[in-house]
Amino acid sequence: MTTGSEAISMATAPTGLPRHVAIIMDGNGRWARSRGLPRFEGHRRGVQTLRDIVRHAGRIGIDYLTLYSFSSENWSRPAEEVRELMSLLKHFVRRDLAELAANNVRVRVIGERDDLAPDIRALLEEAETKTTRNTGLTLVVAFNYGARNEIARAVRRVAADVAAGRLPAESVTEDAISQRLDTAGIPDPDLILRTSGEQRLSNFLLWQAAYSEFVFVPAYWPDFTADEFDRAIDEFLGRERRFGGVPAAAGA
Ligand code: FPP
């Protein structure tokens, strides 16, 4: 284990720094319950952690940071909690968009937009268009996102292109599918991190996670810090990624 500052120096080394880190921000509700607070307080504090981690990821030179902010399954939560999460998103975009834009952050949104309220859709689109020319960190907000839904929508696009004669059936390759996912043009995540001790993917980036490394940390999301982010990167740097091949020495 290293301290936060040592971790940063490792993380900024020219080789090995993950290009794309994706985070399942989990444990807001348990954080609140453990303090006798309403769940909403956990989400509210979670937004503060989100801000800290976005700033930190940009500072240390991560290219892409994806945050699982609202899953397509989250609609099944009590209506009041869903309303609160929507209002936090609106508040976040209204309050933070100027700072993100000024810090050269580019915002991309993945997930199903069709069933979102018009004001939410408009805000998400505004965040994307206002930052589209930025060249620093790309912040990918997964909102109303579910990987199976994303894959199904991509397959529908493939089917439409085949039916219209734009795509020969034999050209339906992995790339052809990747290009029709919401994440088109974004490299697959190198590291997927989940807080709160749970160890599952929960319908997040199923296609893109084929060769991702996973790090699970016990902290609830509102307690998660930049130092813990750096420690997760340290752990990632210690892993050997083989992508289905053999270790470099064994192949010699
Ligand atoms: C999981 O905690 C977290 C979420 C469902 C959403 C994450 C949302 C935020 C950090 C705030 C919203 C921010 C934006 C920008 C939309 P949980 O409620 O599942 O926690 P639990 O498993 O302890 O109940």
Side-chain angles (χ1 to χ4, degrees):
M1 278 246 187
T2 60
T3 65
S5 54
E6 282 162 353
I8 289 175
S9 62
M10 275 188 76
T12 48
T15 55
L17 180 69
R19 240 190 122 192
H20 182 176
V21 179
I23 307 184
I24 303 175
M25 309 180 287
D26 196 11
N28 295 347
R30 277 164 288 165
W31 180 90
R33 197 173 55 221
S34 70
R35 285 165 175 74
L37 297 169
R39 291 177 62 80
F40 173 67
E41 273 308 309
H43 295 314
R44 214 175 55 79
R45 280 291 300 266
V47 176
Q48 192 47 51
T49 304
L50 182 156
R51 269 187 199 110
D52 295 344
I53 297 301
V54 172
R55 286 187 190 123
H56 181 68
R59 241 185 342 251
I60 67 171
I62 300 289
D63 287 338
Y64 295 86
L65 178 71
T66 298
L67 299 175
Y68 204 4
S69 306
F70 188 86
S71 82
S72 36
E73 288 73 34
N74 285 157
W75 294 106
S76 63
R77 295 188 174 208
E80 193 190 345
E81 185 171 345
V82 170
R83 258 197 313 277
E84 287 164 349
L85 284 166
M86 295 292 155
S87 112
L88 278 177
L89 174 79
K90 285 196 254 184
H91 191 73
F92 172 72
V93 176
R94 287 192 188 121
R95 194 190 131 169
D96 292 55
L97 185 55
E99 182 189 331
L100 294 171
N103 286 330
N104 201 20
V105 173
R106 180 177 181 189
V107 178
R108 288 254 322 241
V109 181
I110 59 171
E112 170 74 271
R113 298 203 194 184
D114 287 355
D115 32 273
L116 290 174
D119 60 335
I120 301 264
R121 273 167 65 168
L123 270 177
L124 294 176
E125 274 154 29
E126 183 189 340
E128 287 183 314
T129 41
K130 283 207 170 137
T131 61
T132 190
R133 290 182 195 287
N134 287 351
T135 54
L137 172 76
T138 298
L139 172 64
V140 184
V141 179
F143 199 81
N144 193 25
Y145 177 85
R148 288 181 172 185
N149 168 279
E150 178 194 32
I151 292 168
R153 284 185 288 109
V155 170
R156 278 205 293 276
R157 287 181 197 130
V158 166
D161 286 346
V162 171
R166 291 185 294 264
L167 182 71
E170 58 278 12
S171 299
V172 181
T173 57
E174 293 182 18
D175 268 355
I177 294 170
S178 293
Q179 284 160 18
R180 287 162 179 82
L181 293 168
D182 297 347
T183 51
I186 297 173
D188 288 343
D190 303 290
L191 167 63
I192 296 184
L193 202 155
R194 183 172 188 150
T195 58
S196 91
E198 306 290 346
Q199 302 193 0
R200 56 180 173 271
L201 213 38
S202 301
N203 203 14
F204 186 48
L205 301 177
L206 297 182
W207 175 277
Q208 300 85 343
Y211 288 104
S212 302
E213 295 292 329
F214 293 86
V215 172
F216 300 101
V217 299
Y220 294 144
W221 177 249
D223 286 332
F224 185 72
T225 61
D227 277 354
E228 281 168 296
F229 185 88
D230 291 338
R231 279 198 287 276
I233 289 178
D234 273 355
E235 195 173 330
F236 167 85
L237 294 174
R239 304 263 178 94
E240 183 180 38
R241 303 183 78 197
R242 297 203 295 275
F243 299 96
V246 292

